[in-house]
Amino acid sequence: MKTKHLFGILLLFLCTVSLVSCQNDDEPQDKVETMEAHISAITCIGGILLSNDLIEGMLVKVGNESDYHFFNFNEISGFTYQRGYEYNLQIERTTLANPPADGSMYNYRLVKEKSKKEGEGIRENKCLYVSAETGIYKWGNITQDISSQGMKIRENADEEWTVVPFNKISGFEYENGYNYELSVEKIVLSAQPENEWWQTTQYILREVISKEKAE
């Protein structure tokens, strides 16, 4: 009787494991692919999901796609983008079976940086002023239906302020309420942008010369 009882428990356990295994096999699975990606030296203005804010990011062609897509600068895990350079990468793309409602259906990871080439253009060191006041960012028709805050910058004290996304200056963290004088590398690429979203003028922080709280 004891042997039959143990056999019954074992049979019930095996049936339960088999049922769970079948259920797992029916569940959708993530799909992982290795592919090539090309990143332009030109950057791009794009939106943040569920937000009115606009940010600067990368122009990326994935796989055999002919069109560029907007990527956040940190969207490819393990890859660090340097303004003014174009790249050819080997990446791993995971298509999520159950993507988050507020996120992308894809995750990207760097496998190998195959090439890095400096984009043609003019590079020079400049002084850049950043205002303590923010403003409404407008670029052509990008913000015709939305309102996006940005920081005010200018290269000379007698110029009008220009409002740009808060991440326009690579390496710089803006703090509201402070006036800044920065030393930056200014890059003006010679490539022609296809539309008003594409950015050929870029800034890289060299040094914070001064930071003063506005009165």
Side-chain angles (χ1 to χ4, degrees):
M1 292 293 294
K2 185 175 181 180
T3 302
K4 290 183 178 180
H5 181 65
L6 291 175
F7 178 75
I9 294 174
L10 178 60
L11 183 62
L12 178 62
F13 172 76
L14 291 175
C15 289
T16 302
V17 170
S18 178
L19 179 61
V20 171
S21 176
C22 290
Q23 289 175 340
N24 289 338
D25 290 341
D26 292 336
E27 292 179 359
Q29 302 294 317
D30 292 348
K31 180 182 179 182
V32 180
E33 304 169 276
T34 300
M35 57 187 60
E36 305 296 305
H38 175 75
I39 303 179
S40 174
I42 300 175
T43 54
C44 182
I45 300 298
I48 303 174
L49 193 63
L50 304 179
S51 171
N52 284 343
D53 290 337
L54 294 171
I55 60 172
E56 194 160 333
M58 304 181 290
L59 282 171
V60 184
K61 287 182 182 179
V62 178
N64 295 322
E65 295 176 349
S66 58
D67 296 329
Y68 282 105
H69 299 279
F70 173 82
F71 277 44
N72 294 334
F73 286 126
N74 60 354
E75 195 160 341
I76 302 175
S77 177
F79 172 66
T80 301
Y81 179 78
Q82 185 177 351
R83 301 281 218 291
Y85 287 83
E86 62 179 69
Y87 298 82
N88 287 305
L89 310 178
Q90 185 179 59
I91 62 170
E92 183 180 270
R93 183 177 74 179
T94 301
T95 304
L96 302 177
N98 295 297
D102 59 349
S104 172
M105 67 183 294
Y106 299 119
N107 284 338
Y108 299 93
R109 182 182 69 84
L110 176 67
V111 175
K112 181 180 180 181
E113 183 179 302
K114 300 180 70 174
S115 67
K116 176 183 179 181
K117 179 182 177 183
E118 186 176 281
E120 294 183 3
I122 299 172
R123 288 165 166 79
E124 56 184 339
N125 294 333
K126 287 277 190 179
C127 182
L128 193 67
Y129 300 93
V130 182
S131 174
E133 298 180 351
T134 59
I136 301 297
Y137 177 71
K138 294 182 179 180
W139 191 274
N141 296 319
I142 292 178
T143 56
Q144 61 181 357
D145 297 321
I146 62 175
S147 175
S148 176
Q149 289 290 320
M151 61 183 181
K152 295 180 178 180
I153 66 171
R154 61 186 180 189
E155 295 183 10
N156 297 296
D158 57 350
E159 290 181 345
E160 294 291 328
W161 291 105
T162 299
V163 183
V164 299
F166 288 112
N167 70 335
K168 178 66 181 178
I169 307 168
S170 178
F172 173 65
E173 293 291 335
Y174 177 78
E175 186 175 354
N176 194 16
Y178 286 86
N179 292 305
Y180 296 85
E181 182 180 353
L182 309 177
S183 172
V184 299
E185 179 186 7
K186 180 182 179 181
I187 303 170
V188 181
L189 298 170
S190 57
Q192 294 299 312
E194 290 189 4
N195 55 55
E196 58 199 353
W197 282 264
W198 291 22
Q199 306 290 292
T200 54
T201 299
Q202 303 163 10
Y203 296 100
I204 300 173
L205 179 67
R206 299 179 67 247
E207 180 187 1
V208 177
I209 297 173
S210 67
K211 175 182 178 182
E212 298 180 355
K213 189 172 182 61
E215 297 180 357

